Amino acid sequence: ATMDTKAFEIECVARHIRENWKMKVLVVDVTTFDIDTTKTKVTPLRPQPDVPREYLLKLNGSEANTDGKNNVEDRREKEKKMSDGLINYCRSLIDADDDDLFSGIIGIGGSCGTAIITPAMRFL
């Protein structure tokens, strides 16, 4: 999920799956910029991901962008880096050869989140 805007929504979905279907859920943050550097209110009550955005970027050999900007000029480049990191993360779960690790993907995001998450879904 893009945790800058969809943290509470993905937490609701994750909790429902955990409680009603008794399945393990990993919440992965695919936000393209560091929300701590923006005016987005981050509180202790805000749900936190199991897999932070910085981890995905490291899998892709990229550094976390800390400029706090979501500029249209570089949005596509940021989306590509995050999407590649998500694909690498999915690949690592599949390569672990543990059927309990990976059953599917649910993506929650707007147009940017969709652009990031969909390539990982196609990878599967």
Side-chain angles (χ1 to χ4, degrees):
T2 47
M3 298 291 287
D4 61 320
T5 59
K6 306 296 187 241
F8 293 100
E9 292 84 350
I10 193 63
E11 181 60 27
C12 179
V13 171
R15 186 175 51 250
H16 179 80
I17 292 170
R18 288 178 186 127
E19 292 174 0
N20 294 296
W21 296 343
K22 309 299 183 213
M23 297 177 77
K24 182 178 180 180
V25 176
L26 291 174
V27 175
V28 180
D29 183 9
V30 296
T31 304
T32 57
F33 58 94
D34 185 355
I35 63 171
D36 291 335
T37 62
T38 68
K39 293 180 182 178
T40 300
K41 188 169 184 167
V42 179
T43 69
L45 300 176
R46 185 181 195 81
Q48 296 300 307
D50 299 302
V51 180
R53 60 184 289 281
E54 293 82 4
Y55 182 74
L56 296 181
L57 291 170
K58 285 180 185 175
L59 285 176
N60 192 34
S62 299
E63 292 296 319
N65 179 348
T66 59
D67 68 5
K69 297 176 184 172
N70 195 13
N71 300 327
V72 173
E73 299 85 38
D74 60 354
R75 180 179 290 176
R76 297 293 174 238
E77 178 184 340
K78 290 177 182 178
E79 287 173 359
K80 174 85 169 98
K81 286 180 182 179
M82 188 59 73
S83 184
D84 289 347
L86 180 59
I87 290 169
N88 288 335
Y89 180 68
C90 292
R91 182 178 288 122
S92 73
L93 293 178
I94 292 168
D95 289 348
D97 202 25
D98 182 345
D99 291 336
D100 292 334
L101 278 180
F102 199 163
S103 298
I105 296 175
I106 296 174
I108 296 182
S111 59
C112 184
T114 301
I116 293 166
I117 298 165
T118 304
M121 291 176 167
R122 281 191 216 121
F123 166 75
L124 298 178

